[in-house]
Amino acid sequence: MGGTKDEYFQHGGLKMEVNYKFTDDEEYDDDGKPKRTGSVWTASAHIITAIIGSGVLSLAWATAQLGWLGGIATLVIFSGITLFTSNLLADCYRSPDSVTGKRNYTLMEEVQANLGRSKCIACGIVQYANLIGFLIGYTITTSMSMVAIHKSNCFHREGHDAACKYSSNPYMIGLGIFEILLSQIPSFHKLTWLSTVAAIMSFAYSSIGIGLSLSTILSGKGGRTTLTGVVVGIDVSPSDKIWTMFRALGDIAFAYSFSQVLVEIQDTLKSEPAENKVMKKANTIAVATTTGFYMMCGCLGYAAFGNSAPGNMLTGFGFYEPFWLVDLANVFIVIHLLGAYQVLAQPVYSKLETLAQEKWPDSKFVKTEYAIKLGSKTALSVNQLRLTGRTLIVISVTTLAMAMPFFNDILALLGSIGFWPLTVYIPVEMYIAQKNIKRRSTKWFMLQLLSMVCFLVSLAAACGSIQGVGQSLGTAKPFHYKV
């Protein structure tokens, strides 16, 4: 027996219409959508692809600013907080009950269902601004890796004294063109292969960075390190020490940010076993794996370079020998970030297309799919809205990236802006609302304390990153950046 049923429900003062499709067909889930096929391993791959991005390359620098004590402690604390709050978010995928309730397909829908309309709008503004920021950061990082390959080959061919400087703009434009092609992948459900390749690439270039660091240490060429990091009066001034410590916190926060896409990843999972249980396992696998790599990259990178660790770990090994290995690492970075870009862009694409479908539900431009066939099989389905809308998003991101190519400062700013509201505040508040935790109870106080501490950390990181961006603006020209 098949059919549909329209039902109205109330959330946060907003009246919404839901259409449930009832069917005995095993090809559909309980909400009438095609059967989801995601597992703990596909979700882990998506998460690892989203987490291990350009942030890993700045961890040696961040550890140098904080020292052995502060660097290791900060990495461990951030990983614990991220895992805890991500599990809280996983419990809110269905509401009002976390196992049998209605599905929430996006983070905004989760916030709408649990916290109401006003916080939903605020969350959406922060989420999509942060996602756009991540795409800009990934565009900058990818172009820097492409330039690094060009420089490495130039030095190897023409000698170490050659003036090998190149503009990153042509590389950003080329990347934008390729991302336009990849953007036609319709949704997360079709991204599994790309996420798997990207996750493998992230392990590959991280391993090369770790191997090069270990080689430097074992050869006795490691830099000078201290328990508290860069030394005031020797490496930096007192004020610079404070600012760089704040920026280091932002870089580490950026390296652990993935809550913006967590709900969309959870929406790819099979209904049985319960999605929240599977997602918690995926969170644990992904965060544990990521933290292990982060610890090795941060600690071994710091041991190799000491207090003079560069902002991008791979560039610190020089562009000389073994030039082919550094080139290979940068190729892996490029491949990984091509996939990570699409994972983080999917919620942005989806939001634009959902708004258009609500505004013009009968428009052929919005809803008609054109099949491109190879023989009898459909190779690709093209939609005019998807083609034009996603192309405009990629062009806008590429243009903004060309205008402000400041690697570490941009990472720190993105991390500080997105960490507290999206990774901590929203999951904590939704969990309190869904579980009806009483105000002023012990559990309520502990959750609020966690949120307040993370807010202060994010505020400090934001101040440091804004100061760093201000300095970078004084030394670099937009659209005229050469490395």
Side-chain angles (χ1 to χ4, degrees):
M1 181 182 73
T4 61
K5 176 183 176 183
D6 293 328
E7 179 180 321
Y8 286 94
F9 67 96
Q10 201 81 13
H11 273 309
L14 179 69
K15 196 174 188 182
M16 301 179 69
E17 183 179 1
V18 185
N19 181 268
Y20 294 99
K21 179 175 181 179
F22 294 95
T23 177
D24 294 332
D25 196 330
E26 293 183 358
E27 294 182 0
Y28 295 94
D29 269 328
D30 57 334
D31 60 347
K33 290 193 173 187
K35 204 78 172 177
R36 294 160 175 84
T37 58
S39 66
V40 64
W41 299 112
T42 61
S44 298
H46 284 315
I47 296 170
I48 290 170
T49 300
I51 300 181
I52 303 183
S54 52
V56 69
L57 301 176
S58 68
L59 292 178
W61 177 88
T63 305
Q65 311 316 307
L66 299 168
W68 288 114
L69 292 176
I72 294 173
T74 303
L75 284 169
V76 172
I77 291 169
F78 270 76
S79 68
I81 292 172
T82 301
L83 178 58
F84 176 70
T85 58
S86 298
N87 287 343
L88 297 185
L89 198 59
D91 280 332
C92 298
Y93 170 66
R94 288 181 181 265
S95 57
D97 179 79
S98 59
V99 177
T100 60
K102 173 194 167 290
R103 296 174 187 267
N104 297 299
Y105 305 120
T106 66
L107 180 59
M108 286 184 69
E109 285 187 28
E110 274 196 13
V111 178
Q112 171 79 38
N114 291 282
L115 300 178
R117 180 64 173 168
S118 59
K119 289 187 178 179
C120 170
I121 294 171
C123 169
I125 293 170
V126 176
Q127 180 191 10
Y128 291 107
N130 203 242
L131 285 170
I132 293 294
F134 269 75
L135 300 183
I136 293 169
Y138 280 9
T139 302
I140 293 169
T141 309
T142 308
S143 69
M144 288 179 68
S145 291
M146 292 176 176
V147 170
I149 295 170
H150 202 165
K151 287 182 71 172
S152 173
N153 294 334
C154 172
F155 284 127
H156 183 72
R157 184 178 61 251
E158 300 182 17
H160 298 175
D161 296 325
C164 298
K165 279 190 174 279
Y166 302 98
S167 171
S168 59
N169 289 349
Y171 297 95
M172 291 191 191
I173 293 169
L175 171 68
I177 292 170
F178 198 75
E179 291 294 0
I180 287 172
L181 298 176
L182 288 179
S183 71
Q184 296 311 300
I185 298 173
S187 66
F188 264 114
H189 303 277
K190 305 295 183 182
L191 275 178
T192 299
W193 67 271
L194 188 60
S195 285
T196 302
V197 171
I200 293 169
M201 292 298 103
S202 67
F203 290 134
Y205 70 71
S206 297
S207 298
I208 290 175
I210 291 167
L212 289 171
S213 297
L214 197 57
S215 175
T216 302
I217 296 165
L218 293 176
S219 67
K221 298 178 182 178
R224 180 175 61 90
T225 65
T226 62
L227 287 177
T228 56
V230 293
V231 180
V232 174
I234 298 176
D235 301 310
V236 291
S237 67
S239 61
D240 284 341
K241 170 73 172 178
I242 295 172
W243 290 123
T244 55
M245 284 179 65
F246 287 167
R247 290 207 295 276
L249 292 175
D251 279 359
I252 294 173
F254 175 85
Y256 276 107
S257 296
F258 73 100
S259 59
Q260 298 94 330
V261 294
L262 182 64
V263 181
E264 284 81 359
I265 292 173
Q266 190 167 351
D267 191 47
T268 66
L269 296 175
K270 298 175 184 176
S271 301
E272 294 180 3
E275 300 92 352
N276 63 329
K277 292 181 180 179
V278 176
M279 198 64 191
K280 287 177 182 179
K281 290 180 182 178
N283 288 338
T284 303
I285 292 169
V287 173
T289 303
T290 300
T291 301
F293 269 89
Y294 281 4
M295 293 290 283
M296 287 189 285
C297 288
C299 296
L300 292 177
Y302 180 41
F305 296 112
N307 292 337
S308 59
N312 182 334
M313 182 171 70
L314 286 176
T315 63
F317 294 106
F319 298 100
Y320 312 139
E321 304 297 339
F323 85 101
W324 61 270
L325 189 58
V326 176
D327 280 1
L328 188 61
N330 281 298
V331 169
F332 290 155
I333 291 172
V334 171
I335 296 172
H336 170 244
L337 292 183
L338 287 173
Y341 185 111
Q342 291 304 319
V343 170
L344 291 172
Q346 282 298 324
V348 181
Y349 300 154
S350 178
K351 187 62 178 177
L352 172 68
E353 289 155 15
T354 299
L355 291 173
Q357 289 162 5
E358 291 173 354
K359 183 76 173 175
W360 302 288
D362 299 321
S363 169
K364 289 185 178 180
F365 180 85
V366 171
K367 69 178 185 179
T368 304
E369 296 282 340
Y370 300 92
I372 298 177
K373 294 189 174 183
L374 288 176
S376 59
K377 293 185 177 181
T378 300
L380 181 66
S381 180
V382 177
N383 171 271
Q384 290 175 291
L385 170 64
R386 189 163 61 242
L387 181 62
T388 55
R390 296 186 180 194
T391 298
L392 287 173
I393 289 172
V394 174
I395 290 172
S396 300
V397 166
T398 304
T399 303
L400 288 170
M402 291 166 64
M404 49 180 186
F406 319 122
F407 181 72
N408 268 71
D409 301 318
I410 290 295
L411 296 191
L413 184 60
L414 294 174
S416 60
I417 290 174
F419 180 72
W420 175 71
L422 297 176
T423 303
V424 181
Y425 176 76
I426 289 295
V428 164
E429 291 299 311
M430 287 199 299
Y431 183 78
I432 289 172
Q434 188 180 72
K435 301 301 181 183
N436 295 314
I437 297 173
K438 293 182 180 180
R439 289 177 64 86
R440 297 183 178 84
S441 65
T442 302
K443 193 171 186 178
W444 183 89
F445 270 118
M446 295 301 293
L447 289 170
Q448 294 299 336
L449 178 62
L450 171 66
S451 183
M452 178 56 66
V453 170
C454 291
F455 169 74
L456 294 175
V457 170
S458 288
L459 186 62
C463 292
S465 60
I466 290 169
Q467 187 265 352
V469 169
Q471 286 184 337
S472 298
L473 285 170
T475 58
K477 279 186 175 182
F479 299 103
H480 292 85
Y481 188 71
K482 287 190 175 184
V483 290

